Amino acid sequence: QVQLVESGGGLVQAGGSLRLSCAASGLTFSSYAMGWFRQAPGKEREFVAVINWSGSRTYYGDSVKGRFTVSRDNAKSTVYLQMNSLKPEDTAVYFCAAAERNYGAASRGYDYWGQGTQVTVSS
């Protein structure tokens, strides 16, 4: 059974930083691209970042480019999202997702999803 478990969310002031983690189990982690998405109340799910299976390629949504960094440790089956210079508009539930045959921003291309972790940025 595939499980993706996010952690590291919380409450932070604007300008602060958080690092999210997503621990994967039940799949060959190094065969999957890993993405991060977020969803704010009343809004559609938004692509944040993706990293390919080896970690050699990354791609970011325009709203987080230059502030967020995605990375992975295949030995630990974990993907990370380092979030710096946080803004109130970054407030959302953040999800990680795994894609075996996809590398991109479209959520429909992902095979497995975590339950999400709440990030709240106060002004």
Short mmCIF file of all heavy atoms in Angstrom, two decimals, residues 48-96:
data_model
loop_
_atom_site.label_atom_id
_atom_site.label_comp_id
_atom_site.label_asym_id
_atom_site.label_seq_id
_atom_site.Cartn_x
_atom_site.Cartn_y
_atom_site.Cartn_z
N VAL A 48 2.88 23.66 -7.29
CA VAL A 48 3.95 24.39 -6.62
C VAL A 48 5.31 24.04 -7.21
O VAL A 48 6.06 24.92 -7.63
CB VAL A 48 3.94 24.09 -5.11
CG1 VAL A 48 5.14 24.75 -4.42
CG2 VAL A 48 2.63 24.55 -4.47
N ALA A 49 5.65 22.75 -7.23
CA ALA A 49 6.97 22.35 -7.68
C ALA A 49 6.98 20.86 -7.99
O ALA A 49 6.14 20.11 -7.49
CB ALA A 49 8.02 22.65 -6.61
N VAL A 50 7.94 20.46 -8.81
CA VAL A 50 8.13 19.05 -9.11
C VAL A 50 9.62 18.79 -9.26
O VAL A 50 10.38 19.68 -9.67
CB VAL A 50 7.36 18.62 -10.37
CG1 VAL A 50 7.83 19.37 -11.60
CG2 VAL A 50 7.46 17.11 -10.60
N ILE A 51 10.03 17.58 -8.91
CA ILE A 51 11.41 17.15 -9.06
C ILE A 51 11.41 15.79 -9.72
O ILE A 51 10.56 14.94 -9.41
CB ILE A 51 12.13 17.14 -7.69
CG1 ILE A 51 13.61 16.84 -7.84
CG2 ILE A 51 11.46 16.17 -6.71
CD1 ILE A 51 14.41 17.13 -6.57
N ASN A 52 12.34 15.58 -10.63
CA ASN A 52 12.33 14.30 -11.35
C ASN A 52 12.91 13.20 -10.47
O ASN A 52 13.35 13.43 -9.34
CB ASN A 52 13.06 14.43 -12.69
CG ASN A 52 14.57 14.49 -12.54
OD1 ASN A 52 15.08 14.95 -11.51
ND2 ASN A 52 15.28 14.06 -13.55
N TRP A 53 12.95 11.98 -11.00
CA TRP A 53 13.29 10.82 -10.19
C TRP A 53 14.69 10.90 -9.58
O TRP A 53 14.91 10.45 -8.47
CB TRP A 53 13.16 9.55 -11.03
CG TRP A 53 14.17 9.48 -12.14
CD1 TRP A 53 14.06 10.00 -13.39
CD2 TRP A 53 15.48 8.88 -12.08
NE1 TRP A 53 15.21 9.76 -14.12
CE2 TRP A 53 16.09 9.07 -13.34
CE3 TRP A 53 16.16 8.20 -11.08
CZ2 TRP A 53 17.36 8.60 -13.63
CZ3 TRP A 53 17.44 7.72 -11.37
CH2 TRP A 53 18.03 7.93 -12.62
N SER A 54 15.61 11.50 -10.30
CA SER A 54 17.00 11.54 -9.83
C SER A 54 17.33 12.82 -9.07
O SER A 54 18.38 12.91 -8.44
CB SER A 54 17.95 11.42 -11.01
OG SER A 54 17.86 12.58 -11.83
N GLY A 55 16.46 13.81 -9.16
CA GLY A 55 16.75 15.10 -8.55
C GLY A 55 17.50 16.05 -9.44
O GLY A 55 17.85 17.15 -9.02
N SER A 56 17.71 15.66 -10.70
CA SER A 56 18.50 16.49 -11.60
C SER A 56 17.69 17.61 -12.27
O SER A 56 18.26 18.53 -12.85
CB SER A 56 19.15 15.62 -12.68
OG SER A 56 18.15 14.98 -13.46
N ARG A 57 16.37 17.46 -12.22
CA ARG A 57 15.51 18.48 -12.85
C ARG A 57 14.44 18.91 -11.87
O ARG A 57 13.85 18.09 -11.17
CB ARG A 57 14.84 17.90 -14.10
CG ARG A 57 15.77 17.57 -15.25
CD ARG A 57 15.00 16.85 -16.33
NE ARG A 57 13.90 17.64 -16.87
CZ ARG A 57 12.88 17.14 -17.56
NH1 ARG A 57 12.81 15.85 -17.78
NH2 ARG A 57 11.94 17.94 -18.03
N THR A 58 14.18 20.21 -11.87
CA THR A 58 13.10 20.76 -11.06
C THR A 58 12.34 21.81 -11.87
O THR A 58 12.86 22.36 -12.84
CB THR A 58 13.63 21.43 -9.78
OG1 THR A 58 14.58 22.45 -10.13
CG2 THR A 58 14.28 20.42 -8.85
N TYR A 59 11.12 22.02 -11.45
CA TYR A 59 10.26 22.99 -12.14
C TYR A 59 9.33 23.58 -11.11
O TYR A 59 8.82 22.86 -10.24
CB TYR A 59 9.49 22.28 -13.26
CG TYR A 59 8.52 23.15 -14.01
CD1 TYR A 59 8.96 24.23 -14.76
CD2 TYR A 59 7.16 22.89 -13.96
CE1 TYR A 59 8.07 25.03 -15.45
CE2 TYR A 59 6.26 23.68 -14.65
CZ TYR A 59 6.71 24.75 -15.38
OH TYR A 59 5.83 25.53 -16.07
N TYR A 60 9.10 24.91 -11.20
CA TYR A 60 8.33 25.61 -10.17
C TYR A 60 7.18 26.40 -10.77
O TYR A 60 7.25 26.90 -11.90
CB TYR A 60 9.24 26.56 -9.40
CG TYR A 60 10.35 25.88 -8.66
CD1 TYR A 60 11.59 25.65 -9.25
CD2 TYR A 60 10.15 25.42 -7.35
CE1 TYR A 60 12.60 25.00 -8.57
CE2 TYR A 60 11.16 24.77 -6.66
CZ TYR A 60 12.37 24.56 -7.28
OH TYR A 60 13.37 23.91 -6.59
N GLY A 61 6.15 26.54 -9.96
CA GLY A 61 5.09 27.45 -10.33
C GLY A 61 5.57 28.89 -10.23
O GLY A 61 6.46 29.22 -9.43
N ASP A 62 4.99 29.75 -11.03
CA ASP A 62 5.45 31.14 -11.09
C ASP A 62 5.35 31.84 -9.74
O ASP A 62 6.18 32.69 -9.41
CB ASP A 62 4.64 31.91 -12.13
CG ASP A 62 4.98 31.52 -13.55
OD1 ASP A 62 6.07 30.92 -13.75
OD2 ASP A 62 4.18 31.79 -14.45
N SER A 63 4.34 31.50 -8.96
CA SER A 63 4.11 32.21 -7.71
C SER A 63 5.15 31.88 -6.63
O SER A 63 5.26 32.61 -5.64
CB SER A 63 2.71 31.91 -7.18
OG SER A 63 2.56 30.54 -6.93
N VAL A 64 5.91 30.82 -6.81
CA VAL A 64 6.89 30.43 -5.78
C VAL A 64 8.31 30.45 -6.29
O VAL A 64 9.26 30.24 -5.52
CB VAL A 64 6.56 29.03 -5.21
CG1 VAL A 64 5.13 28.98 -4.71
CG2 VAL A 64 6.85 27.92 -6.21
N LYS A 65 8.50 30.67 -7.57
CA LYS A 65 9.82 30.64 -8.17
C LYS A 65 10.75 31.63 -7.47
O LYS A 65 10.39 32.79 -7.24
CB LYS A 65 9.71 30.97 -9.66
CG LYS A 65 10.79 30.40 -10.53
CD LYS A 65 10.45 30.61 -12.01
CE LYS A 65 9.24 29.80 -12.43
NZ LYS A 65 8.95 29.94 -13.87
N GLY A 66 11.93 31.15 -7.11
CA GLY A 66 12.90 32.00 -6.44
C GLY A 66 12.77 32.02 -4.93
O GLY A 66 13.66 32.51 -4.24
N ARG A 67 11.67 31.49 -4.41
CA ARG A 67 11.45 31.46 -2.96
C ARG A 67 11.43 30.04 -2.41
O ARG A 67 11.84 29.80 -1.28
CB ARG A 67 10.14 32.16 -2.60
CG ARG A 67 10.08 33.61 -3.02
CD ARG A 67 8.80 34.27 -2.46
NE ARG A 67 7.58 33.67 -2.99
CZ ARG A 67 6.62 33.15 -2.23
NH1 ARG A 67 6.74 33.15 -0.92
NH2 ARG A 67 5.54 32.64 -2.80
N PHE A 68 10.94 29.11 -3.20
CA PHE A 68 10.81 27.71 -2.76
C PHE A 68 11.84 26.85 -3.48
O PHE A 68 12.17 27.11 -4.65
CB PHE A 68 9.42 27.18 -3.07
CG PHE A 68 8.30 27.77 -2.25
CD1 PHE A 68 8.48 28.88 -1.44
CD2 PHE A 68 7.04 27.18 -2.30
CE1 PHE A 68 7.45 29.40 -0.69
CE2 PHE A 68 5.98 27.69 -1.55
CZ PHE A 68 6.19 28.81 -0.76
N THR A 69 12.28 25.80 -2.80
CA THR A 69 13.22 24.85 -3.39
C THR A 69 12.78 23.43 -3.08
O THR A 69 12.55 23.10 -1.91
CB THR A 69 14.64 25.07 -2.86
OG1 THR A 69 15.06 26.42 -3.12
CG2 THR A 69 15.62 24.11 -3.52
N VAL A 70 12.66 22.62 -4.11
CA VAL A 70 12.30 21.22 -3.92
C VAL A 70 13.56 20.37 -4.04
O VAL A 70 14.45 20.65 -4.86
CB VAL A 70 11.23 20.77 -4.95
CG1 VAL A 70 11.70 20.92 -6.37
CG2 VAL A 70 10.78 19.36 -4.67
N SER A 71 13.64 19.35 -3.18
CA SER A 71 14.78 18.44 -3.21
C SER A 71 14.31 17.06 -2.77
O SER A 71 13.18 16.91 -2.30
CB SER A 71 15.91 18.94 -2.31
OG SER A 71 15.47 19.01 -0.96
N ARG A 72 15.16 16.07 -2.94
CA ARG A 72 14.78 14.72 -2.55
C ARG A 72 15.99 13.95 -2.07
O ARG A 72 17.12 14.23 -2.47
CB ARG A 72 14.09 13.99 -3.71
CG ARG A 72 14.99 13.68 -4.89
CD ARG A 72 14.16 13.16 -6.07
NE ARG A 72 13.53 11.88 -5.76
CZ ARG A 72 12.44 11.41 -6.41
NH1 ARG A 72 11.88 12.13 -7.37
NH2 ARG A 72 11.95 10.23 -6.10
N ASP A 73 15.71 12.95 -1.25
CA ASP A 73 16.72 12.01 -0.77
C ASP A 73 16.18 10.62 -1.05
O ASP A 73 15.32 10.13 -0.31
CB ASP A 73 16.97 12.23 0.73
CG ASP A 73 18.09 11.36 1.26
OD1 ASP A 73 18.40 10.33 0.65
OD2 ASP A 73 18.64 11.71 2.31
N ASN A 74 16.65 10.02 -2.12
CA ASN A 74 16.11 8.70 -2.50
C ASN A 74 16.47 7.63 -1.48
O ASN A 74 15.73 6.66 -1.33
CB ASN A 74 16.61 8.33 -3.88
CG ASN A 74 15.89 9.09 -4.98
OD1 ASN A 74 14.88 9.77 -4.72
ND2 ASN A 74 16.41 9.02 -6.19
N ALA A 75 17.54 7.78 -0.78
CA ALA A 75 17.91 6.80 0.24
C ALA A 75 16.92 6.81 1.40
O ALA A 75 16.74 5.79 2.07
CB ALA A 75 19.32 7.09 0.75
N LYS A 76 16.29 7.95 1.61
CA LYS A 76 15.31 8.08 2.70
C LYS A 76 13.88 8.07 2.18
O LYS A 76 12.94 8.23 2.96
CB LYS A 76 15.56 9.35 3.49
CG LYS A 76 16.89 9.38 4.23
CD LYS A 76 17.03 10.67 5.03
CE LYS A 76 18.35 10.67 5.81
NZ LYS A 76 18.52 11.92 6.60
N SER A 77 13.71 7.94 0.86
CA SER A 77 12.37 7.97 0.25
C SER A 77 11.59 9.20 0.70
O SER A 77 10.40 9.12 1.06
CB SER A 77 11.59 6.69 0.60
OG SER A 77 12.22 5.56 0.06
N THR A 78 12.24 10.32 0.67
CA THR A 78 11.65 11.57 1.16
C THR A 78 11.91 12.71 0.19
O THR A 78 13.01 12.82 -0.36
CB THR A 78 12.22 11.92 2.55
OG1 THR A 78 11.95 10.85 3.46
CG2 THR A 78 11.59 13.20 3.09
N VAL A 79 10.89 13.52 0.01
CA VAL A 79 11.02 14.73 -0.78
C VAL A 79 10.77 15.92 0.15
O VAL A 79 9.98 15.82 1.10
CB VAL A 79 10.06 14.73 -1.98
CG1 VAL A 79 8.60 14.67 -1.54
CG2 VAL A 79 10.30 15.93 -2.89
N TYR A 80 11.45 17.02 -0.13
CA TYR A 80 11.38 18.20 0.72
C TYR A 80 10.93 19.42 -0.08
O TYR A 80 11.13 19.51 -1.29
CB TYR A 80 12.75 18.50 1.33
CG TYR A 80 13.36 17.33 2.08
CD1 TYR A 80 14.28 16.49 1.47
CD2 TYR A 80 13.00 17.07 3.40
CE1 TYR A 80 14.84 15.42 2.14
CE2 TYR A 80 13.55 16.00 4.08
CZ TYR A 80 14.47 15.17 3.45
OH TYR A 80 15.00 14.11 4.13
N LEU A 81 10.35 20.35 0.63
CA LEU A 81 10.04 21.65 0.05
C LEU A 81 10.49 22.72 1.03
O LEU A 81 9.88 22.89 2.09
CB LEU A 81 8.54 21.79 -0.24
CG LEU A 81 8.15 23.08 -0.97
CD1 LEU A 81 8.70 23.07 -2.41
CD2 LEU A 81 6.63 23.26 -0.98
N GLN A 82 11.57 23.39 0.69
CA GLN A 82 12.07 24.49 1.50
C GLN A 82 11.37 25.77 1.04
O GLN A 82 11.46 26.14 -0.14
CB GLN A 82 13.58 24.64 1.34
CG GLN A 82 14.18 25.81 2.11
CD GLN A 82 14.08 25.64 3.61
OE1 GLN A 82 14.36 24.56 4.13
NE2 GLN A 82 13.70 26.70 4.31
N MET A 83 10.68 26.41 1.97
CA MET A 83 9.89 27.59 1.64
C MET A 83 10.46 28.79 2.39
O MET A 83 10.45 28.81 3.63
CB MET A 83 8.43 27.38 2.02
CG MET A 83 7.83 26.11 1.42
SD MET A 83 6.06 25.95 1.74
CE MET A 83 6.07 25.76 3.52
N ASN A 84 10.97 29.75 1.65
CA ASN A 84 11.54 30.96 2.22
C ASN A 84 10.72 32.18 1.82
O ASN A 84 9.92 32.12 0.88
CB ASN A 84 12.99 31.12 1.75
CG ASN A 84 13.89 30.00 2.19
OD1 ASN A 84 13.69 29.38 3.24
ND2 ASN A 84 14.90 29.71 1.38
N SER A 85 10.94 33.26 2.52
CA SER A 85 10.24 34.53 2.22
C SER A 85 8.74 34.31 2.08
O SER A 85 8.11 34.76 1.12
CB SER A 85 10.81 35.14 0.93
OG SER A 85 12.19 35.37 1.05
N LEU A 86 8.18 33.62 3.03
CA LEU A 86 6.77 33.27 2.96
C LEU A 86 5.87 34.49 3.02
O LEU A 86 6.19 35.47 3.71
CB LEU A 86 6.42 32.28 4.07
CG LEU A 86 6.88 30.85 3.79
CD1 LEU A 86 6.93 30.04 5.08
CD2 LEU A 86 5.96 30.18 2.79
N LYS A 87 4.77 34.40 2.30
CA LYS A 87 3.80 35.48 2.21
C LYS A 87 2.44 34.96 2.70
O LYS A 87 2.18 33.75 2.63
CB LYS A 87 3.66 35.94 0.76
CG LYS A 87 4.96 36.37 0.10
CD LYS A 87 4.73 36.67 -1.37
CE LYS A 87 6.02 37.06 -2.07
NZ LYS A 87 5.79 37.35 -3.52
N PRO A 88 1.57 35.84 3.15
CA PRO A 88 0.23 35.39 3.57
C PRO A 88 -0.49 34.61 2.46
O PRO A 88 -1.25 33.68 2.77
CB PRO A 88 -0.48 36.70 3.89
CG PRO A 88 0.61 37.61 4.35
CD PRO A 88 1.78 37.26 3.46
N GLU A 89 -0.25 34.96 1.22
CA GLU A 89 -0.91 34.25 0.12
C GLU A 89 -0.37 32.83 -0.10
O GLU A 89 -0.90 32.08 -0.92
CB GLU A 89 -0.82 35.05 -1.18
CG GLU A 89 0.56 35.52 -1.55
CD GLU A 89 0.83 36.96 -1.11
OE1 GLU A 89 0.46 37.32 0.03
OE2 GLU A 89 1.41 37.71 -1.92
N ASP A 90 0.67 32.45 0.63
CA ASP A 90 1.16 31.07 0.59
C ASP A 90 0.36 30.17 1.52
O ASP A 90 0.56 28.95 1.54
CB ASP A 90 2.63 31.01 0.98
CG ASP A 90 3.54 31.70 -0.02
OD1 ASP A 90 3.32 31.53 -1.23
OD2 ASP A 90 4.48 32.40 0.42
N THR A 91 -0.53 30.76 2.31
CA THR A 91 -1.36 29.97 3.22
C THR A 91 -2.22 28.98 2.45
O THR A 91 -2.97 29.36 1.55
CB THR A 91 -2.25 30.90 4.06
OG1 THR A 91 -1.42 31.71 4.90
CG2 THR A 91 -3.21 30.10 4.92
N ALA A 92 -2.10 27.71 2.79
CA ALA A 92 -2.81 26.65 2.09
C ALA A 92 -2.50 25.31 2.75
O ALA A 92 -1.60 25.21 3.59
CB ALA A 92 -2.40 26.61 0.62
N VAL A 93 -3.22 24.30 2.32
CA VAL A 93 -2.83 22.93 2.62
C VAL A 93 -1.89 22.47 1.51
O VAL A 93 -2.22 22.62 0.32
CB VAL A 93 -4.05 21.99 2.71
CG1 VAL A 93 -3.60 20.56 2.95
CG2 VAL A 93 -5.00 22.45 3.81
N TYR A 94 -0.76 21.95 1.90
CA TYR A 94 0.25 21.52 0.94
C TYR A 94 0.24 20.00 0.84
O TYR A 94 0.29 19.29 1.85
CB TYR A 94 1.63 22.02 1.36
CG TYR A 94 1.83 23.48 1.06
CD1 TYR A 94 1.15 24.45 1.79
CD2 TYR A 94 2.68 23.89 0.04
CE1 TYR A 94 1.32 25.81 1.50
CE2 TYR A 94 2.86 25.24 -0.24
CZ TYR A 94 2.17 26.19 0.49
OH TYR A 94 2.33 27.53 0.21
N PHE A 95 0.21 19.52 -0.40
CA PHE A 95 0.17 18.09 -0.69
C PHE A 95 1.40 17.68 -1.48
O PHE A 95 1.83 18.41 -2.38
CB PHE A 95 -1.06 17.76 -1.54
CG PHE A 95 -2.38 18.12 -0.94
CD1 PHE A 95 -2.93 19.38 -1.12
CD2 PHE A 95 -3.09 17.18 -0.19
CE1 PHE A 95 -4.16 19.71 -0.57
CE2 PHE A 95 -4.32 17.51 0.36
CZ PHE A 95 -4.86 18.77 0.17
N CYS A 96 1.90 16.49 -1.18
CA CYS A 96 2.89 15.91 -2.08
C CYS A 96 2.20 14.83 -2.90
O CYS A 96 1.17 14.28 -2.50
CB CYS A 96 4.09 15.37 -1.34
SG CYS A 96 3.79 13.90 -0.34
#
